[in-house]
Amino acid sequence: MKKTLAYLGTVLCCVLVLFACNRFVTRGLSIFTANTATVTAKAKVLEILKQDTTEYDLGTGNVISSTVTSFRCRILDGDYRGREVVGSQTIDGFSSNMKPVEVGDRVVAYLFEGTDAENAWVFGGYERMEALSVLLGVFFLALLVFGRKKGVNTILSLVLTCLMVFAVFVPSILTGHNIYLWSTLTCLYTIAMTLLLVNGCNVKSLAAGLGCMGGLLVSGLLTLGMDRVLVLSGMLDENSMYLSLLNQENPINLNAIIFAGILIGAMGAVMDVGMSVAASLHELKLQAPDIPWKQMVRSGLTIGRDMMGTMANTLVLAYIGSSLSVVLLLVSYTTSLSELLNREAVIVEILQALVGSLGILVTIPLTSLICGLLYQRLTLRPEEPEKRWNIPLRFARKPKQEGLPYSFAGTAAAPEWPEEGQTEPQEQPTGEETEEREERENLE
């Protein structure tokens, strides 16, 4: 009952903090109001009316074609729901990979201000949310089947994380709040909320949380320092230019956007490593109650080394994959490798990967050290032994000459330590073996 109340209290606190932050940062904010004269609606294609193709000579020997497809469709939502209208799809040389509309396709159509509501709808893309919702449902179902109770907690933490980013952090940027502060608060909230919901309020979550915060602190300080050293302007592409013009009275700090992107991007990997090390050492302590804290720290470092390479690769490959199109374009229009590496867009991608990887490297030893200190007084509660693995040996201190600081524990009695010169413990003789040996000695 106490655990249930604690869990519900944690969820309630997380929701209340989220709600309070949202109300604070969204005061005076209006979103989804740009170009309200344009009507957007979902539609289903009923009939293909005609298709016209025109070729254009650009004068350089290149000929491009433009295909305009007219179709009749039924509007599925909005003020025009149920009405059958005529729309058009244009496919030119810049969108040659786009699939022509067919009967039965679900599309997104636009109606611009001052145009005929019956015959001037424009194809804006295919309706993709239905298929994406199915995939999301499969993902949630897999979490529930595999994780059960923790799967539910994982889904809840994922939803709250997305709400924190899109309902608090993004509005805070649009309303002119300090991006450095709110990106840091977003990361702290996400770490605390995720660990408390998924693992509960315990020493394991505390150790993982402190390790993650330390790793993120180092990542943030490195980002601030390298921002000055590299003399970054924040103008990475045309999107950065649009952001700078979004609010001319209170322009968005583009360097702060870079800081927030690096910090939030590294948070997932840092949290993964911190929780993995804390959970592994927690289980080790439960199975080896007498393990010295120095040996526990060394074990944490060993575990961390195995994760270090894969997690660093995860960050690097994630950033490469997200910017692959930009990299291909820059490589095609750059005369040398040094020029390519000095472009700010490439520099920022490299900086993200390096800072995130360094955050991971700091998280591993820091979490191991914190676990070694916090787990010293950790003991099993009386109701927990049946949940432990059935390991046949008991942890006990060995003499220093044995060279082993501890042994494995379980429910069976500890074996005798080997005599001088032996490498394996002797087995305890049974009662019958003892009687037979005494009879042989008497006969001799």
Side-chain angles (χ1 to χ4, degrees), residues 101-116:
V101 294
E102 299 176 354
V103 175
D105 287 344
R106 297 170 67 92
V107 300
V108 176
Y110 297 107
L111 178 65
F112 296 101
E113 183 181 14
T115 57
D116 185 3

Side-chain angles (χ1 to χ4, degrees), residues 129-439:
M129 285 305 300
E130 184 175 347
L132 197 60
S133 300
V134 173
L135 182 61
L136 182 64
V138 172
F139 171 63
F140 284 168
L141 181 61
L143 285 177
L144 294 175
V145 171
F146 182 75
R148 299 183 183 179
K149 181 182 177 181
K150 287 207 171 184
V152 175
N153 297 336
T154 302
I155 293 173
L156 181 59
S157 67
L158 181 60
V159 171
L160 291 177
T161 299
C162 293
L163 288 176
M164 185 65 186
V165 173
F166 294 107
V168 175
F169 178 60
V170 172
S172 71
I173 298 175
L174 297 177
T175 51
H177 288 84
N178 189 306
I179 300 176
Y180 294 102
L181 173 63
W182 281 98
S183 60
T184 303
L185 292 178
T186 298
C187 291
L188 294 179
Y189 171 87
T190 302
I191 291 173
M193 176 270 299
T194 302
L195 294 178
L196 288 175
L197 290 183
V198 175
N199 298 287
C201 185
N202 50 45
V203 67
K204 181 168 61 174
S205 296
L206 177 61
L210 292 176
C212 294
M213 292 176 187
L216 279 180
L217 177 62
V218 172
S219 297
L221 293 177
L222 282 174
T223 303
L224 291 175
M226 294 307 297
D227 185 12
R228 294 177 176 271
V229 172
L230 298 174
V231 197
L232 299 177
S233 66
M235 194 66 68
L236 306 181
D237 50 27
E238 65 275 8
N239 294 325
S240 301
M241 181 182 65
Y242 297 147
L243 282 177
S244 64
L245 300 175
L246 195 60
N247 186 355
Q248 297 186 14
E249 296 181 359
N250 187 14
I252 293 177
N253 188 341
L254 299 181
N255 293 75
I257 294 293
I258 294 176
F259 172 86
I262 293 177
L263 202 64
I264 294 176
M267 175 180 59
V270 168
M271 192 160 49
D272 187 7
V273 169
M275 190 66 244
S276 298
V277 173
S280 300
L281 295 183
H282 183 269
E283 185 64 23
L284 177 61
K285 177 63 177 178
L286 294 185
Q287 302 300 328
D290 296 326
I291 182 173
W293 78 273
K294 291 183 179 180
Q295 182 61 36
M296 181 178 293
V297 173
R298 285 196 293 267
S299 299
L301 295 177
T302 302
I303 295 170
R305 292 189 192 101
D306 293 335
M307 297 186 296
M308 178 178 60
T310 55
M311 292 308 301
N313 282 340
T314 299
L315 281 177
V316 172
L317 294 176
Y319 291 130
I320 291 176
S322 63
S323 59
L324 185 57
S325 300
V326 177
V327 171
L328 289 173
L329 189 62
L330 292 176
V331 169
S332 301
Y333 289 93
T334 303
T335 58
S336 65
L337 181 61
S338 60
E339 181 186 354
L340 174 66
L341 295 179
N342 273 292
R343 288 182 177 270
E344 189 164 337
V346 177
I347 288 292
V348 169
E349 296 295 333
I350 297 174
L351 181 63
Q352 286 179 323
L354 292 178
V355 169
S357 300
L358 286 171
I360 292 175
L361 294 180
V362 172
T363 302
I364 291 172
L366 183 60
T367 305
S368 301
L369 180 61
I370 293 172
C371 289
L373 296 175
L374 294 182
Y375 291 175
Q376 282 305 295
R377 295 173 180 256
L378 182 65
T379 55
L380 284 174
R381 295 189 299 271
E383 66 270 14
E384 285 185 336
E386 67 271 14
K387 299 180 181 179
R388 295 171 58 182
W389 296 342
N390 186 21
I391 299 178
L393 302 177
R394 182 179 303 279
F395 282 94
R397 292 282 184 176
K398 291 183 180 181
K400 290 185 177 180
Q401 61 266 25
E402 297 296 333
L404 298 175
Y406 56 89
S407 62
F408 289 100
T411 56
E416 290 185 355
W417 300 117
E419 300 294 339
E420 195 68 32
Q422 293 181 340
T423 58
E424 296 181 358
Q426 293 179 338
E427 295 183 358
Q428 295 275 2
T430 63
E432 295 181 356
E433 291 175 346
T434 303
E435 293 178 358
E436 292 178 358
R437 185 175 61 183
E438 291 177 352
E439 291 178 0

